[in-house]
């Protein structure tokens, strides 16, 4: 590590140690949410406006949240990267499925493979509805 980078990091650490406790608590957010690994990603209004909620950077990959067609109060959060060759799948509400635009793989609203060429399900994330807010855990 270069000397300049070390001093920058060391200075930032000193700043954090000297911050008033209330400010540190405010910056760290809700302890329960952080401990559970959940974070707010959007709102029901945003979801209902488009029929899905997409976040480009959730973990190392994007996030796609949809309502279950048969049980609209249930939300599903998936990593929308197709397990076949890495294209981003689209939510097609009229079909009630995720469809890969590259090779036609189809996934259920729960992320299960319905039609190849993909042979692995889409990874899913735990999702909660808290009031009008959508919370998703990367764990």
């Amino acid at each position: 590590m270069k000397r300049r980078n070390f001093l920058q990091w060391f200075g930032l650490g000193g700043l954090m140690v000297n911050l008033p406790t209330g400010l540190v608590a405010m910056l760290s957010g809700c302890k329960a949410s952080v401990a559970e690994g959940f974070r707010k990603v959007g709102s029901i209004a945003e979801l209902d406006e488009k029929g899905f909620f997409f976040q480009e950077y959730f973990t190392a990959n994007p996030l796609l949240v949809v309502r279950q067609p048969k049980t609209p109060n249930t939300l599903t959060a998936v990593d929308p990267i197709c397990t076949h060759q890495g294209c981003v799948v689209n939510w097609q509400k009229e079909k009630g499925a995720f469809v890969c635009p590259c090779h036609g793989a189809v996934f259920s609203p729960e992320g299960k493979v319905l039609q190849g060429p993909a042979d692995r399900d889409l990874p899913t994330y735990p999702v909660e509805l808290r009031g009008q807010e959508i919370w998703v855990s990367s764990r």
Side-chain angles (χ1 to χ4, degrees):
M1 175 181 278
K2 292 184 179 179
R3 181 173 179 237
R4 175 177 287 166
N5 292 347
F6 173 78
L7 291 174
Q8 287 173 338
W9 278 104
F10 183 82
L12 181 61
L15 175 65
M16 290 302 288
V17 168
N18 291 316
L19 284 175
T21 307
L23 183 57
V24 172
M26 181 182 76
L27 292 173
S28 66
C30 176
K31 289 182 184 179
S33 295
V34 172
E36 298 167 2
F38 281 88
R39 64 181 192 233
K40 179 183 169 189
V41 297
S43 69
I44 288 297
E46 292 169 302
L47 177 67
D48 290 342
E49 183 179 321
K50 288 186 171 180
F52 63 88
F53 178 82
F54 180 80
Q55 187 177 54
E56 190 169 355
Y57 300 104
F58 177 65
T59 58
N61 291 329
L63 172 75
L64 186 55
V65 180
V66 299
R67 286 185 184 270
Q68 289 287 319
K70 294 180 182 175
T71 54
N73 290 334
T74 303
L75 304 180
T76 299
V78 300
D79 176 337
I81 303 297
C82 183
T83 56
H84 175 238
Q85 288 192 347
C87 296
V88 176
V89 300
N90 298 315
W91 173 247
Q92 293 187 359
K93 187 175 181 178
E94 63 282 351
K95 289 185 178 183
F98 298 103
V99 179
C100 180
C102 296
H103 299 103
V106 179
F107 301 87
S108 75
E110 297 82 22
K112 306 284 184 206
V113 175
L114 298 176
Q115 174 185 314
D119 59 2
R120 289 177 290 125
D121 299 338
L122 295 174
T124 60
Y125 301 107
V127 61
E128 293 180 357
L129 185 58
R130 299 180 184 178
Q132 295 297 306
E133 299 175 339
I134 301 167
W135 289 71
V136 178
S137 175
S138 59
R139 295 181 184 178

